Amino acid sequence: MTKEIKKQLQIVAKRYAKHGVTLSDCITLYNDGINHGIDGKSAVIGLRLSLSRYFGESEYFTAEDVATVTGETVEQVNKRIKENKDELMKNGHIVEVSSPFFQ
């Protein structure tokens, strides 16, 4: 496990600590993904998705995150989002971030 992955797991554990999730829990779940052949980055993304669904929390994923998990290019993900934007927004599956920091 890289330092970056451990840092990401610490962030996830902190975010879900109010639900009783510990760093040890996150590491165990991460390792389970690794043991099932999932790469490190995808294992962290999967952990975040699983915890968010289980605890009813919101998680935000980038097009890069989606591409990592689906095997698509970022361009393909962005194209799919653009083609389905209205439906995705209506169902709360995507949000737009508007900030001078993201331009």
Side-chain angles (χ1 to χ4, degrees):
M1 174 185 315
T2 67
K3 285 184 177 183
E4 180 59 31
I5 293 287
K6 186 156 186 177
K7 181 180 175 183
Q8 290 176 22
L9 294 176
Q10 290 169 332
I11 291 168
V12 172
K14 184 176 179 181
R15 185 177 309 135
Y16 289 93
K18 64 185 172 189
H19 298 292
V21 175
T22 65
L23 177 58
S24 178
D25 295 330
C26 291
I27 292 171
T28 298
L29 292 168
Y30 167 84
N31 285 333
D32 189 49
I34 296 299
N35 291 335
H36 282 87
I38 298 171
D39 69 270
K41 188 171 181 180
S42 294
V44 173
I45 294 166
L47 171 65
R48 291 174 50 216
L49 178 61
S50 297
L51 291 174
S52 72
R53 294 186 63 118
Y54 186 80
F55 292 112
E57 298 283 345
S58 294
E59 278 285 338
Y60 299 97
F61 299 94
T62 65
E64 291 83 6
D65 293 337
V66 175
T68 296
V69 173
T70 64
E72 297 170 281
T73 66
V74 173
E75 292 77 19
Q76 289 170 318
V77 171
N78 284 330
K79 181 180 178 192
R80 191 162 39 98
I81 290 170
K82 186 176 180 181
E83 290 170 351
N84 299 289
K85 183 178 179 179
D86 291 339
E87 183 178 341
L88 290 167
M89 299 250 337
K90 177 181 157 190
N91 294 322
H93 297 295
I94 63 168
V95 297
E96 286 186 293
V97 177
S98 178
S99 167
F101 300 107
F102 295 107
Q103 295 187 24

